[in-house]
Amino acid sequence: MGVVNVTPDSFSDGGRYLDPAAAIEHARRLVEEGADIVDIGGESTRPGAPPVPEEEEMRRIIPVLEALHDVDRPISVDTRRPAVMKAALAAGASMINDIGAFAEPYSLLSVAQSGCAVCLMHMKGTPATMQREPHYADVVAEVKAFLKEAVRRAKFSGIREDRIVVDPGFGFGKTVQHNLTLLGHLGEFADLGVPVLAGLSRKSTVGWITGRPVQERLAGSLAMALLAIERGAKIVRVHDVKETQDVIAVWEALNQ
Ligand code: HH2
């Protein structure tokens, strides 16, 4: 899954693809580089990020979605707002990636009838508050239980299991140690019975381990992607598609 941030303030590429033409070109490049899914977001969710008004989020992403109609890959939209979900699906999105696991009232209803895929992600708190001393008694068990309940709710709303993906939400209300524990135990999330998505690309845990600023986290991010794939992740959400494809090719050479 290749990331397209149509935002002025995303943590690693804020402002680079705010112009719709730049975002469209970037999405096409990610597909050429081998992305199987393109994930378009109009709101940064970095720690401390302020919420973006709904109209502004739509103004950023809808023109990009409309321009990508001819792309023969699923287009995902990273949003928490039911109205944005509806507008995105009408404009051609076929997956909704909600970092809040469809907690907003009516959000599951907004997508259930559409036939789209959904990504249910765990987050503790909100982007504005999530990194204020997050605490868990057992991070793996708690995140798993949360996702199990999110899958149950999604299915209850009429979303078929083969349309559901889960994500432990690396960096969303988690310390470096929590992220490493979750990555180490990622294989256990297979119990949930649906594909697991992992998003570690360029994140601060990579920076903490390597001591590198955000522009220099490619090698660390590739190592993270490989470790996630090794532990069963079926989708890796990354900024650097070409390089990650090479990692996957090497892994597949050994595993197929
Ligand atoms: N991470 C980010 C955003 N959306 N969605 C899922 N499912 N999983 C993730 O790990 C995830 C996500 C943060 O990365 P990015 O979009 O590059 O940054 P920002 O939120 O600052 O735009």
Side-chain angles (χ1 to χ4, degrees), residues 3 5 9-11 43-46 78 97 99 119 121 167 170 172 197 199 203 237 239:
V3 181
N5 285 321
D9 57 347
S10 285
F11 78 95
E43 178 183 53
S44 171
T45 52
R46 73 184 191 288
D78 187 341
N97 169 27
I99 61 157
C119 177
M121 197 196 81
D167 179 349
F170 292 101
F172 287 86
L197 182 153
K203 285 192 176 166
R237 182 180 181 278
H239 302 87

Side-chain angles (χ1 to χ4, degrees), residues 5-214:
N5 285 321
V6 194
T7 60
D9 57 347
S10 285
F11 78 95
S12 80
D13 55 5
R16 280 188 69 183
Y17 311 113
L18 183 57
D19 171 31
I24 293 159
E25 192 196 324
H26 187 55
R28 291 190 186 283
R29 184 175 333 119
L30 295 182
V31 169
E32 269 169 36
E33 290 178 356
D36 293 313
I37 307 172
V38 175
D39 188 40
I40 300 176
E43 178 183 53
S44 171
T45 52
R46 73 184 191 288
V52 172
E54 186 169 286
E55 307 72 49
E56 174 63 14
E57 194 184 345
M58 291 206 212
R59 205 184 56 75
R60 291 179 187 172
I61 63 168
I62 300 299
V64 178
L65 272 169
E66 286 174 348
L68 295 174
H69 259 146
D70 58 327
V71 169
D72 65 348
R73 296 287 193 290
I75 308 282
S76 161
V77 167
D78 187 341
T79 185
R80 287 180 284 166
R81 298 200 173 89
V84 179
M85 293 174 186
K86 273 192 172 167
L89 293 170
S94 52
M95 179 170 188
I96 301 292
N97 169 27
D98 183 352
I99 61 157
F102 296 84
E104 286 280 319
Y106 305 112
S107 54
L108 279 171
L109 283 177
S110 306
V111 302
Q113 299 306 315
S114 73
C116 73
V118 297
C119 177
L120 311 171
M121 197 196 81
H122 174 271
M123 169 168 61
K124 201 176 179 80
T126 64
T129 62
M130 64 191 180
Q131 291 307 102
R132 290 186 198 151
E133 297 185 30
H135 175 80
Y136 302 82
D138 180 340
V139 67
V140 176
E142 287 171 48
V143 172
K144 255 180 93 174
F146 172 93
L147 292 176
K148 189 174 176 189
E149 172 59 15
V151 170
R152 191 197 64 74
R153 280 178 53 235
K155 281 164 60 175
F156 185 74
S157 303
I159 300 177
R160 282 205 330 255
E161 193 170 82
D162 61 1
R163 292 164 48 198
I164 301 174
V165 171
V166 290
D167 179 349
F170 292 101
F172 287 86
K174 283 127 190 149
T175 62
V176 170
Q177 193 52 55
H178 293 142
N179 290 322
L180 290 174
T181 303
L182 284 167
L183 181 58
H185 291 261
L186 200 64
E188 295 172 29
F189 286 77
D191 299 351
L192 297 170
V194 294
V196 173
L197 182 153
L200 289 142
S201 181
R202 300 182 183 172
K203 285 192 176 166
S204 61
T205 294
V206 178
W208 187 86
I209 297 168
T210 60
R212 305 277 182 205
V214 74

Side-chain angles (χ1 to χ4, degrees), residues 231-253:
R231 285 162 179 73
K234 292 286 184 280
I235 304 173
V236 281
R237 182 180 181 278
V238 302
H239 302 87
D240 303 288
V241 167
K242 189 169 127 222
E243 294 83 353
T244 308
Q245 275 295 358
D246 286 357
V247 167
I248 293 171
V250 170
W251 182 85
E252 282 182 343

